[in-house]
């Protein structure tokens, strides 16, 4: 693979990447690639959410099948992104389907873990009171458990988005028109500047999207849930807004 | 009226939680289920609103078998208060209280208005309505829980150890609150507790359960104290049974003696001249008692010394002649305790405004007890 | 899967490299994170800086780090150092937070009694707080370990060794059995190491097992 040029001139060169107009127009310009990158992300995250949130909510509410979450959570985390991409491309062919399939598979575990632990951690006294008041099971799930589980579900969302953005970058290796394009172009032409430029754009995208999601989290979650205290967990949580790392450790470790 | 007919609850692993329970809960009264853990009191309570279904037997509410009702609909007509309150953390206090009315179709605005009234009724400040449960103290959360249970104006209220998780001072306040509410609302309340004193204080009738789900005794508290059905009940009730039974006898016929009252701030010499048997009560300008003055203490200071805090000996409990709602403070027990706990062995009797009206001696209380026995007022 | 049977040697050697690249960051991460996690648990300022910083770094995709680090470290693109540093950064982001939470969760009562016994701060840390923090710490450690094993494979995209190279090779010559073998090997590796960490964690905190047994009894 390429050596990647080094030296003091790179600081100057990186500017040239961003001022070069060819990088901003056409099918392999930054706007186009960003749009496609985001399109893939939204698609995979939405499909993943539609599949995983109901399952996680059901398992969390009824308690049936919790082995699914505990047992598979770690297994899913181990799945190599690159491996899935390549496998699906080889099985299905090139195009958007195999990539989306791989992205969905990677988006499911965070939603599953976040929703499950969010619903499961709802104080049993609250559910007992809800039932005792005469709420039906559906009502309890939608009006009580899911709203209370929101912080963790949104944390799952953030993790899923992160994972998908990262994998979508890698997908350029197999030819997908995402922002990873620059990295692999630069690698193949031994042009480190382009690689660096592409890397920076991806980093900015990831940070901006995550930042927006944090805002969404603050806006959507009920103020009454701000000081989230989870059962069996730390009394003083590191942050009032659960983050991607909360989902990582919350979901798959109930077996420990 | 709630009726248990040969109700039994048995679990798959063989444990019997409730054994053939026959019991009638009267309307408009507080009925307390009390007993040690594992006696089936909570299980019995939860069978009333079908949170648990009986294995055999029937439960009737106003003559109708509850099994004929759809559980959620049944529960919307029954208030339910639990130990940890179980408030919805994601809703404001106001919306928490408005939950059941909204559930049964009341428009939200109207439900919220009613909720606000209820919050006032249970003694919460108006600012609490907009807050979230996490911002309230344990005692406040319990009050919200009670308000929430009352929101749809259910005739029946089920309370499962609602005050057990708060500290004793808060608990006493909540108990007083409940008695005050009940005096206003006259609901049919079934109250579960493991604390016999709470049962005796709150219950119009008390059902004592034994381990294994067996009803040991079901009587008014005064009868319970006077005539425990067996050794279990008597040991569960605990010590000082006779003394506690005095709490149910009014002391209204008791003769009060006179007691010298000395104004606070006067001179020691003036105080000394008013002592009777070496004792006098120091009072403020409204004649409220502040403490005792003794000959022994007064003799240690000069005649011109002002009577201040340092000279006072703190008094015992007070006996209220006009107790109003809290009948216990006007009972023979209160009178006797005031005499026993007083440093001068004379209990202080006060009226509704807290002013001293006389004193009580232990021998007078016992004489009154004897008279009450003769008149047939003491359960036996 | 005859491909796998024919290439055991290759699989094993790549596994060895893969393990090395995944485990070293864990060890480095622990060494860095324990003191920093302790700082974050004790001092509000430290927490306010370290935790958000960790959050931001965790957000940056691995591929990006692998491209940017050579510039910062002065290394070549395909140097394994880049991958090790990148994974160490992720591990630290996870562990500092885990450890800070774990140490903060040691109940005040326990700390008070430790002080009353006469422990100094450092002694108390090693004898009381750290051991009690082990269960929560290991939860974070497991996450770090498993994701490291998965992420090492990304290194193949910039020429770094490990089972990821089976993936890229399997892509270039369209060899599906090789790809499947690599994926299976990675997942199995992750599960084995995860299991190992569970065992180690339980061994280091026997009281937790008793608590579990007591709770279910």
């Amino acid at each position: 693979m390429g050596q990647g040029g080094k030296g003091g001139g790179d600081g100057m060169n990186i500017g040239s990447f961003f001022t070069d107009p060819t990088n901003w127009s056409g099918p392999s310009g930054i706007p186009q690639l960003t749009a496609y990158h985001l399109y893939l992300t939204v698609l995979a995250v939405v499909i993943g959410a539609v599949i995983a949130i109901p399952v996680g909510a059901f398992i969390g509410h009824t308690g049936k099948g919790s082995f699914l979450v505990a047992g598979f959570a770690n297994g899913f985390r181990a799945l190599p992104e690159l491996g899935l991409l390549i496998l699906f491309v080889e099985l299905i062919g090139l195009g958007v389907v195999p990539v989306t399939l791989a992205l969905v598979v990677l988006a499911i575990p965070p939603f599953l873990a976040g929703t499950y632990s969010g619903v499961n951690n709802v104080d049993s006294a609250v559910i007992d009171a809800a039932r005792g008041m005469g709420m039906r099971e559906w009502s309890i799930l939608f009006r009580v458990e899911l709203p209370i589980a929101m912080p963790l579900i949104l944390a799952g969302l953030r993790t899923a988005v992160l994972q998908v953005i990262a994998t979508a970058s890698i997908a350029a290796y197999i030819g997908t028109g995402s922002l990873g394009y620059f990295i692999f172009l630069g690698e193949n032409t031994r042009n480190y500047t382009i690689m660096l430029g592409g890397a920076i754009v991806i980093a900015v995208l990831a940070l901006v999207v995550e930042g927006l999601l944090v805002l969404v989290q603050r806006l959507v979650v009920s103020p009454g849930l701000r000081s989230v205290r989870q059962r069996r967990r730390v009394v003083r949580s590191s942050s009032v807004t659960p983050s991607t790392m909360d989902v990582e450790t919350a979901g798959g470790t109930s077996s420990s | 009226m709630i009726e248990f007919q040969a109700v039994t609850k048995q679990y798959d692993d063989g444990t019997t939680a409730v054994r053939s329970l026959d019991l009638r809960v009267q309307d408009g009264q507080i009925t307390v289920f009390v007993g040690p853990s594992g006696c089936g009191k909570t299980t019995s309570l939860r069978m009333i609103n079908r949170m648990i279904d009986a294995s055999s037997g029937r439960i009737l509410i106003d003559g109708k078998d509850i099994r004929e009702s759809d559980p959620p609909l049944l529960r919307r007509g029954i208030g339910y208060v639990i130990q940890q309150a179980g408030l919805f953390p994601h809703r404001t206090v106001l919306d928490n209280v408005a939950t059941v009315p909204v559930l049964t179709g009341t428009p939200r605005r109207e439900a919220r208005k009613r909720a606000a009234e209820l919050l006032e009724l249970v003694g919460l400040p108006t600012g609490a309505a907009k807050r979230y449960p996490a911002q309230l103290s344990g005692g406040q959360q319990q009050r919200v829980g009670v308000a929430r249970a009352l929101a749809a104006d259910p005739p029946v209220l089920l309370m499962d150890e609602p005050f057990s998780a708060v500290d004793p001072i808060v608990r006493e306040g909540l108990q007083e609150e409940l008695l005050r509410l009940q005096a206003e609302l006259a609901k049919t309340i079934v109250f579960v507790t493991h604390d016999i004193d709470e049962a005796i204080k709150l219950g119009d009738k008390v059902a004592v359960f034994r381990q294994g789900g067996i009803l040991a005794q079901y009587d008014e508290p005064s009868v319970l104290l006077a005539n425990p059905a067996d050794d279990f009940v008597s040991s569960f009730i605990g010590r000082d049974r006779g003394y506690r039974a005095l709490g149910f006898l009014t002391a209204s016929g008791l003769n009060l003696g006179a007691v010298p009252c000395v104004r606070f701030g006067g001179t020691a010499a003036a105080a000394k001249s008013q002592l009777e048997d070496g004792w006098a009560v120091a009072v403020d300008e409204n004649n409220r008692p502040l403490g005792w003055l003794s000959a022994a203490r007064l003799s240690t200071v000069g005649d011109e010394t002002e009577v201040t805090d340092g000279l006072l000996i703190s008094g015992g409990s007070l006996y209220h002649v006009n107790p109003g709602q809290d009948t216990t403070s006007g009972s023979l027990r209160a009178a006797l305790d005031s005499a026993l706990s007083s440093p001068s062995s004379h209990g202080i009797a006060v009226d509704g405004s807290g002013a001293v009206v006389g004193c009580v001696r232990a021998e007078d209380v016992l004489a009154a007890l004897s008279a009450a026995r003769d008149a047939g007022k003491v359960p036996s | 899967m005859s491909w796998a049977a024919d290439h055991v040697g290759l699989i094993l050697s790549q596994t060895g490299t893969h393990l090395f690249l995944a485990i070293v960051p864990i060890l480095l991460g622990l060494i860095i994170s324990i003191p920093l996690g302790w700082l974050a648990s004790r001092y509000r300022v430290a927490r306010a800086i370290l935790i958000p910083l960790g959050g931001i770094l965790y957000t940056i995709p691995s591929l990006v780090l692998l491209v940017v680090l050579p510039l910062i470290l002065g290394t070549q693109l395909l140097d394994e150092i880049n991958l090790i540093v990148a994974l160490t950064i992720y591990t630290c982001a996870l562990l500092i937070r885990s450890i800070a939470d774990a140490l903060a969760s040691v109940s005040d009562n326990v700390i008070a009694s430790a002080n009353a016994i006469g422990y100094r701060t450092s002694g108390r840390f090693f004898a009381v707080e750290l051991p009690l923090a082990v269960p929560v710490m290991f939860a974070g450690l497991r996450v770090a370990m498993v994701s490291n094993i998965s992420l090492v494979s990304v290194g193949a995209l910039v020429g770094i060794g490990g089972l990821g190279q089976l993936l890229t090779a399997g892509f270039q010559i369209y060899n599906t059995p090789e790809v499947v073998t690599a994926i299976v090997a990675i997942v199995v590796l992750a599960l084995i190491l995860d299991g190992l960490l569970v065992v180690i964690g339980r061994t280091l905190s026997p009281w937790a097992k008793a608590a579990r047994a007591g709770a279910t009894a």
Side-chain angles (χ1 to χ4, degrees), chain B residues 4-345:
Chain B
F4 284 78
Q5 290 178 348
V7 173
T8 299
K9 178 64 188 174
Q10 207 168 24
Y11 288 105
D12 289 333
D13 59 1
T15 46
T16 306
V18 178
R19 201 185 291 270
S20 197
L21 179 63
D22 284 296
L23 190 117
R24 281 209 191 135
V25 174
Q26 297 298 351
D27 284 340
Q29 284 190 350
I30 301 181
T31 303
V32 180
F33 291 177
V34 69
S37 27
C39 69
K41 55 191 190 293
T42 297
T43 310
S44 302
L45 181 92
R46 283 163 68 89
M47 285 199 275
I48 297 177
N49 64 353
R50 294 194 67 182
M51 296 293 277
I52 299 176
D53 274 326
S55 313
S56 67
R58 297 198 306 166
I59 300 178
L60 309 172
I61 298 185
D62 288 337
K64 187 169 170 212
D65 189 339
I66 58 174
R67 241 189 263 260
E68 291 165 23
S69 307
D70 185 16
L73 296 177
L74 174 72
R75 292 168 194 157
R76 289 175 205 180
I78 297 178
Y80 185 54
V81 182
I82 55 178
Q83 191 176 44
Q84 312 93 316
L87 299 179
F88 295 163
H90 62 298
R91 291 193 188 163
T92 58
V93 162
L94 195 69
D95 280 333
N96 259 287
V97 176
T99 305
V100 182
V102 168
L103 204 57
T104 51
T106 311
R108 195 170 278 275
R109 178 172 293 189
E110 202 182 306
R112 280 190 176 155
K113 224 176 99 193
R114 168 130 180 91
E117 287 165 12
L118 279 163
L119 286 175
E120 211 185 304
L121 186 68
V122 297
L124 282 170
T126 39
K130 289 283 180 223
R131 297 223 197 110
Y132 288 90
Q135 297 167 284
L136 300 183
S137 71
Q140 288 173 322
Q141 286 184 17
Q142 277 307 100
R143 286 173 197 257
V144 176
V146 174
R148 183 174 66 174
L150 291 172
D153 202 22
V156 176
L157 203 58
L158 301 180
M159 305 181 85
D160 188 0
E161 308 221 40
F163 308 148
S164 300
V166 296
D167 69 63
I169 294 177
V170 174
R171 188 182 311 152
E172 201 182 319
L174 290 171
Q175 289 169 344
E176 301 293 328
E177 232 13 83
L178 181 65
L179 288 172
R180 187 185 56 80
L181 272 173
Q182 177 66 345
E184 250 186 80
L185 303 172
K187 299 277 182 203
T188 305
I189 300 181
V190 182
F191 188 107
V192 165
T193 178
H194 60 268
D195 180 349
I196 187 67
D197 286 315
E198 188 171 48
I200 290 175
K201 178 172 180 175
L202 297 177
D204 292 308
K205 262 190 120 175
V206 175
V208 181
F209 286 81
R210 206 208 307 277
Q211 220 132 23
I214 303 169
L215 180 64
Q217 188 171 359
Y218 183 41
D219 268 317
E220 285 100 38
S222 53
V223 175
L224 212 61
L225 286 170
N227 283 335
D230 56 25
D231 286 339
F232 165 75
V233 178
S234 122
S235 72
F236 187 74
I237 287 175
R239 290 186 304 209
D240 303 342
R241 193 159 49 82
Y243 182 61
R244 285 144 77 191
L246 289 181
F248 291 96
L249 295 168
T250 174
S252 54
L254 204 54
N255 285 328
L256 300 175
V259 63
C261 297
V262 174
R263 278 295 288 278
F264 194 67
T267 60
K272 274 189 221 171
S273 66
Q274 287 183 271
L275 297 178
E276 235 177 70
D277 290 334
W279 291 94
V281 180
V283 296
D284 63 10
E285 63 274 9
N286 291 324
N287 226 28
R288 280 192 279 236
L290 299 167
W292 285 93
L293 292 167
S294 72
R297 269 257 177 118
L298 286 173
S299 63
T300 61
V301 298
D303 279 350
E304 293 311 307
T305 321
E306 202 186 321
V307 173
T308 56
D309 271 337
L311 284 173
L312 292 181
I313 301 170
S314 76
S317 58
L318 297 174
Y319 156 54
H320 290 81
V321 174
N322 292 328
Q325 217 120 50
D326 179 16
T327 47
T328 3
S329 54
S331 64
L332 280 181
R333 177 178 171 176
L336 185 58
D337 194 71
S338 72
L340 292 177
S341 60
S342 161
S344 69
S345 77

Side-chain angles (χ1 to χ4, degrees), chain A residues 146-235:
Chain A
L146 283 177
I148 296 178
M150 254 318 153
L152 281 176
I153 295 178
L154 290 178
L157 171 69
R158 280 172 60 191
T159 306
V161 167
L162 230 175
Q163 176 71 282
V164 170
I165 289 181
T167 308
S169 318
I170 293 174
Y173 176 69
I174 55 168
T176 308
S178 74
L179 284 169
Y181 166 77
F182 293 114
I183 294 181
F184 296 106
L185 174 67
E187 196 170 22
N188 291 335
T189 59
R190 299 193 177 205
N191 186 333
Y192 184 72
T193 309
I194 297 182
M195 290 185 81
L196 192 59
I200 291 177
V201 177
I202 296 175
V204 169
L205 177 69
L207 287 171
V208 166
V209 170
E210 281 296 303
L212 284 174
L213 288 178
V214 171
L215 241 92
V216 166
Q217 207 166 353
R218 297 258 162 100
L219 289 172
V220 167
V221 171
S222 158
L225 297 171
R226 290 260 167 84
S227 55
V228 171
R229 272 140 214 264
Q230 297 158 347
R231 269 188 321 160
R232 284 192 292 136
R233 295 283 295 148
V234 177
V235 170

Side-chain angles (χ1 to χ4, degrees), chain C residues 119-210:
Chain C
Y119 273 112
R120 294 182 202 284
T121 310
S122 59
R124 187 187 77 208
F125 178 74
F126 285 107
V128 179
E129 293 173 85
L130 194 57
L132 283 178
V134 159
V136 178
M137 199 168 86
F138 264 73
L141 208 55
R142 286 172 64 192
V143 174
M145 175 62 91
V146 170
S147 48
N148 277 7
I149 290 184
S150 172
L151 286 174
V152 166
S153 58
V154 176
L157 292 175
V158 286
I160 298 174
L163 289 165
Q165 286 195 330
L166 297 182
L167 291 173
T168 49
F171 177 64
Q172 279 156 3
I173 60 175
Y174 203 96
N175 187 347
T176 311
E178 186 169 6
V179 174
V180 172
T181 308
I183 296 178
V184 169
I186 290 173
V187 173
V188 167
L189 208 60
L191 290 176
I192 291 177
L193 281 169
D194 184 55
L196 226 77
L197 281 177
V198 170
V199 170
I200 297 176
R202 288 191 185 171
T203 315
L204 288 178
S205 51
W207 62 87
K209 191 196 294 185

Side-chain angles (χ1 to χ4, degrees), chain C residues 81-117:
Chain C
I81 289 283
N82 301 322
L83 184 62
I84 292 182
V85 170
L87 293 184
T88 306
I89 291 177
Y90 288 144
T91 305
C92 285
L94 268 174
L95 282 186
I96 290 179
R97 198 197 152 106
S98 237
I99 292 175
D101 280 350
L103 288 175
S105 79
V106 175
S107 99
D108 289 333
N109 289 338
V110 173
I111 296 186
S113 25
N115 285 337
I117 288 175

